[in-house]
Amino acid sequence: MANFDDTLQRARLAFSSGKTRNVSFRRKQLENLLRCYEEHENEIISALEADLRRPKQESLIVETEFMKNDIKHILFHLDEWVQSEKPPKPFVNLMDDVQIYNDPFGVVLVIGAWNYPLQLLLVPVASAIAAGNCVVIKPSEIAANCAKFIADVIPKYLDNDCYPVVCGGPSETAELLNQRFDYIFYTGSTRVGKIIHAAANKHLTPTTLELGGKSPCYIDKSVELRTAVKRILWGKLINCGQTCIAPDYILCSKEVQEKFIAEAKDVLKEWYGDNIQSSPDLSRVINANNFQRLLGLMKSGRVAVGGNYDASERFIEPTILVDVKETDPIMEEEIFGPILPIFNVESAYEAIKFINNRESPLVLYIFTSETDVQNLFINGTQSGGLCVNDTIMHYAEKSHLLYTCSPTRTS
Ligand code: NAD
């Protein structure tokens, strides 16, 4: 059984020494991390290819460039963010000097997930460093090549007492969670999120839980469908559908469904050619467990597009299912793969009722050129984010929960 007493003891001592309160020290660590990404870009791309068969261009956009830009953004604003603030004073403090200091929490634990194995872990790590914390860095064991890269390379760039990397699966993480942390940042499934939350509660440790969920996509008949299909399939098929904010299922009328399917066949052929399996542009399912889980979900409804698979490569063809029932497993659990079911509704009102009868969506996507329809969804639903006429792009705009794109911009 792993024992993390020493690791935590060293991190606690490092934090108490005041080392990480020094802003120049934080800046240096962040610059080192940025240099690490620059000097090891090819190794990162190879690790992602080995774990997920991720195409290089995708890895650049969603991992390395994303992480580099995040650190550059932090470095640019760091001096401003660490300043104490002078808040407006109420009458009773009018004669006093009132200041708000932004203090670090202390020793923070960041636990990453396998689907974006670097950025989901290292972006929150960079923020925690910037805020002056010591950070225990725990990669997902499921993306084994990326975890090895993180364990082998990151310690060469960061202070080892302040920012230790700890590897392992559920039993090691459970052991780690017996330690008292000052903050826990977790990304992964809701099932494990409950375990993390229960462990944190024992010490009343504050947590951020970045969990999964379903992200419906409503399409009405007013949109230019070719563009909508491209944007939906692109969002669905990045990382082979293994994206928390991928459009999970479609809500549309039978009439829109028929046109959607015809366009989708055409777009998939344009992107991946006649033999999708031989295309270098589609990632693979992470492991055999998830592959089998996805084959189970494919039993819902009827295959209208795709449906082929090959267990030896963990390849699943982009698949569109129709005639699904709302009680089918595919409509109940997060899909997290290249399968897109269509559930028929005859109006925006029916779609809203369907959405509101379920857990709040992680993201709600709507495709319509009617402002009235947009407003029906904005005012009549609740979700983590709402994106109009595009998918995924709202992720780049962290501060706004509503993202609207022109329905006709070519993408
Ligand atoms: P995972 O299996 O990699 O698990 C996540 C982390 O939890 C890993 O570090 C793992 O070691 C640890 N873990 C697993 N079982 C554990 C246990 N029993 N006790 C303690 N720790 C344990 O990833 P996953 O959970 O399959 O990740 C996919 C999920 O993450 C999806 O539901 C997805 O939607 C969600 N996700 C959410 C976001 C977001 O920002 N909201 C981003 C990406 C992924």
Side-chain angles (χ1 to χ4, degrees):
M1 184 63 81
N3 186 325
F4 299 107
D5 290 353
D6 283 356
T7 311
L8 262 289
Q9 180 69 6
R10 275 192 285 126
R12 286 237 163 267
L13 282 174
F15 183 73
S16 328
S17 75
K19 215 170 171 180
T20 58
R21 287 190 177 256
N22 181 321
V23 178
S24 309
F25 175 83
R26 303 182 205 176
R27 181 175 287 284
K28 185 77 196 141
Q29 298 299 314
L30 291 166
E31 284 166 355
N32 288 350
L33 201 51
L34 178 58
R35 196 159 49 77
C36 170
Y37 302 154
E38 285 164 352
E39 291 176 357
H40 295 277
E41 187 155 279
N42 288 337
E43 277 168 83
I44 293 175
I45 287 162
S46 302
L48 288 162
E49 193 185 343
D51 284 331
L52 289 148
R53 221 205 67 161
R54 183 86 76 60
K56 179 178 177 183
Q57 202 56 33
E58 225 172 84
S59 291
L60 288 172
I61 296 169
V62 298
E63 306 260 3
T64 53
E65 287 306 311
F66 191 87
M67 295 191 297
K68 283 193 248 171
N69 286 334
D70 176 66
I71 293 200
K72 285 176 190 168
H73 179 75
I74 294 174
L75 288 171
F76 187 78
H77 290 285
L78 187 61
D79 289 335
E80 165 203 339
W81 289 344
V82 297
Q83 291 301 318
S84 61
E85 295 160 42
K86 282 188 180 288
K89 288 186 278 188
F91 180 70
V92 285
N93 296 116
L94 218 50
M95 308 297 286
D96 302 328
D97 181 20
V98 180
Q99 299 215 30
I100 297 174
Y101 285 87
N102 296 313
D103 262 352
F105 277 94
V107 179
V108 169
L109 171 63
V110 180
I111 304 177
W114 55 262
N115 59 328
Y116 290 87
L118 290 135
Q119 64 113 321
L120 289 178
L121 179 76
L122 297 172
V123 166
V125 164
S127 297
I129 293 174
N133 299 288
C134 286
V135 192
V136 176
I137 305 169
K138 159 64 184 75
S140 171
E141 75 289 359
I142 307 249
N145 292 281
C146 289
K148 184 170 180 342
F149 169 83
I150 291 162
D152 290 350
V153 179
I154 297 288
K156 294 180 184 156
Y157 288 83
L158 293 180
D159 182 291
N160 288 191
D161 290 336
C162 297
Y163 315 111
V165 176
V166 165
C167 286
S171 63
E172 288 80 5
T173 314
E175 190 62 28
L176 192 57
L177 288 167
N178 284 329
Q179 302 284 341
R180 182 182 165 277
F181 290 93
D182 300 307
Y183 198 99
I184 299 176
F185 189 108
Y186 163 82
T187 305
S189 62
T190 305
R191 182 186 67 80
V192 178
K194 288 178 183 168
I195 298 173
I196 307 286
H197 197 254
N201 261 355
K202 281 190 207 145
H203 303 289
L204 295 180
T205 301
T207 51
T208 296
L209 303 174
E210 290 280 353
L211 308 177
K214 283 179 97 64
S215 299
C217 178
Y218 173 71
I219 314 172
D220 81 3
K221 61 178 188 311
S222 68
V223 287
E224 195 271 290
L225 214 53
R226 178 87 178 174
T227 307
V229 166
K230 281 189 170 181
R231 292 175 185 178
I232 293 165
L233 290 182
W234 176 74
K236 183 72 181 183
L237 296 175
I238 302 170
N239 204 29
C240 199
Q242 301 163 117
T243 304
C244 56
I245 52 171
D248 188 273
Y249 62 89
I250 286 180
L251 294 168
C252 68
S253 66
K254 276 232 182 280
E255 183 194 348
V256 171
Q257 172 182 301
E258 294 320 309
K259 291 184 192 151
F260 184 91
I261 287 168
E263 290 288 357
K265 285 181 181 163
D266 213 39
V267 167
L268 290 172
K269 194 168 174 173
E270 180 190 322
W271 287 354
Y272 301 111
D274 287 323
N275 181 356
I276 298 189
Q277 190 169 356
S278 65
S279 163
D281 296 325
L282 185 72
S283 300
R284 294 296 186 256
V285 176
I286 183 77
N287 60 14
N289 279 350
N290 274 287
F291 183 82
Q292 289 306 330
R293 182 184 63 78
L294 288 165
L295 290 197
L297 293 182
M298 265 164 73
K299 291 185 184 134
S300 307
R302 175 172 64 82
V303 173
V305 178
N308 295 312
Y309 53 87
D310 179 349
S312 71
E313 276 193 25
R314 301 189 313 278
F315 162 78
I316 296 184
E317 189 178 2
T319 296
I320 299 176
L321 300 174
V322 294
D323 300 339
V324 291
K325 296 198 285 295
E326 58 177 298
T327 49
D328 283 340
I330 200 153
M331 296 303 290
E332 301 263 330
E333 65 177 87
E334 183 184 13
I335 299 172
F336 228 54
I339 310 167
L340 187 61
I342 302 181
F343 186 81
N344 292 132
V345 289
E346 287 311 320
S347 67
Y349 293 103
E350 208 185 314
I352 289 170
K353 194 168 162 215
F354 187 90
I355 292 161
N356 288 345
N357 275 340
R358 286 165 174 70
E359 286 284 331
S360 213
L362 210 56
V363 187
L364 175 54
Y365 296 112
I366 43 175
F367 283 79
T368 179
S369 46
E370 307 281 342
T371 312
D372 289 352
V373 175
Q374 288 179 22
N375 288 336
L376 278 180
F377 282 89
I378 292 167
N379 298 321
T381 59
Q382 267 191 325
S383 54
L386 196 151
C387 178
V388 182
N389 292 322
D390 213 332
T391 63
I392 312 284
M393 297 302 287
H394 64 294
Y395 190 62
E397 185 53 79
K398 289 181 183 163
S399 55
H400 295 100
L401 292 180
L402 171 65
Y403 179 91
T404 310
C405 181
S406 151
T408 48
R409 174 174 63 75
T410 333
S411 67

